[in-house]
Amino acid sequence: MQLMSERGAAGGGLRERKKRATRAALAEAAVRLAAEHGAEKVTVEAISAAAGVSVRTFFNYFDTRDDAFVVIDADAGARMRRAVLDAPAGLSPLEVLRGAMAAELAEAEQQHELWRLHAEVLHASPHLLARGVGAHMAAEAELAQAIAERLGDAGVGLYPRLLAAVAGTAVRTSVDHWSAHQEEAAFLDVFHEVFSLLAAGLPAPPA
């Protein structure tokens, strides 16, 4: 699952905000059309029309039609890596990751329907699912690189790789649990509880 944050889109100059909004509109249009009709039946022309832009504009943001189905927010990874590198020095690596991810997930409850449709689209198309898995692995590797850089690690050792992987799993677990228990707690409360369990070393729950 790729992250999307309206808060992240609020940053930068007017030109950059407009570009992010256009890309987000195209990605959302692609996912919704694919969920309704099947990705193989959705054309670039249909995606562009649904987003209210020209086909030429579509190709300013995506190299191919399939790219629009795979990654909802291509800038999320870069924002998280920058947040990891810019976080206060006194924070632990896990606290840094929790803060960076929480900022991206601030609007998770509003974005939940789109995320669900995105997952359905990928799982309905083996080649899109493979591309989605590849994109996730690349993003995880880049996040591990940022953790290693923050720690002054010349390479990317076991710890940064493990922390990036565990944090990604924590996000997915938070989303899955909240989706099944939306009436019990807000998403960010579930998210922070999951990271608190990680910080405590995953103690067994009381009998």
Side-chain angles (χ1 to χ4, degrees):
M1 175 185 64
Q2 299 297 318
L3 308 175
M4 174 180 280
S5 170
E6 293 175 6
R7 178 177 299 180
L14 178 61
R15 178 183 174 85
E16 287 304 312
R17 291 200 299 274
K18 287 184 176 179
K19 287 174 64 177
R20 284 195 289 265
T22 299
R23 193 188 194 288
L26 284 164
E28 180 170 351
V31 167
R32 291 190 181 281
L33 287 169
E36 182 176 357
H37 304 291
E40 70 283 354
K41 296 180 181 179
V42 177
T43 64
V44 171
E45 289 78 8
I47 296 169
S48 303
V53 301
S54 68
V55 170
R56 179 177 180 181
T57 297
F58 176 94
F59 286 111
N60 287 337
Y61 293 89
F62 301 101
D63 292 332
T64 70
R65 184 204 62 159
D66 285 358
D67 290 339
F69 300 130
V70 175
V71 179
I72 295 179
D73 185 355
D75 297 326
R79 290 194 300 268
M80 282 196 293
R81 292 192 297 276
R82 178 46 51 194
V84 166
L85 294 173
D86 291 346
L91 297 178
S92 71
L94 183 61
E95 289 173 324
V96 168
L97 268 188
R98 176 166 58 182
M101 289 180 162
E104 289 301 316
L105 293 163
E107 291 84 24
E109 293 182 39
Q110 290 73 33
Q111 297 291 342
H112 178 253
E113 181 206 7
L114 182 60
W115 289 357
R116 178 181 59 79
L117 292 177
H118 182 241
E120 290 178 2
V121 168
L122 294 189
H123 282 86
S125 177
H127 83 279
L128 290 180
L129 180 60
R131 290 192 60 179
V133 170
H136 171 76
M137 293 177 64
E140 187 176 288
E142 291 172 352
L143 187 58
Q145 178 64 54
I147 296 168
E149 184 176 341
R150 179 180 175 85
L151 294 173
D153 188 349
V156 182
L158 179 61
Y159 180 84
R161 293 180 186 277
L162 179 60
L163 182 54
V166 167
T169 299
V171 170
R172 291 191 294 278
T173 300
S174 300
V175 171
D176 290 345
H177 182 83
W178 176 79
S179 296
H181 304 85
Q182 295 183 33
E183 70 285 351
E184 298 178 11
F187 171 76
L188 284 180
D189 290 339
V190 174
F191 170 84
H192 286 297
E193 181 180 356
V194 167
F195 270 78
S196 293
L197 289 171
L198 287 177
L202 289 178

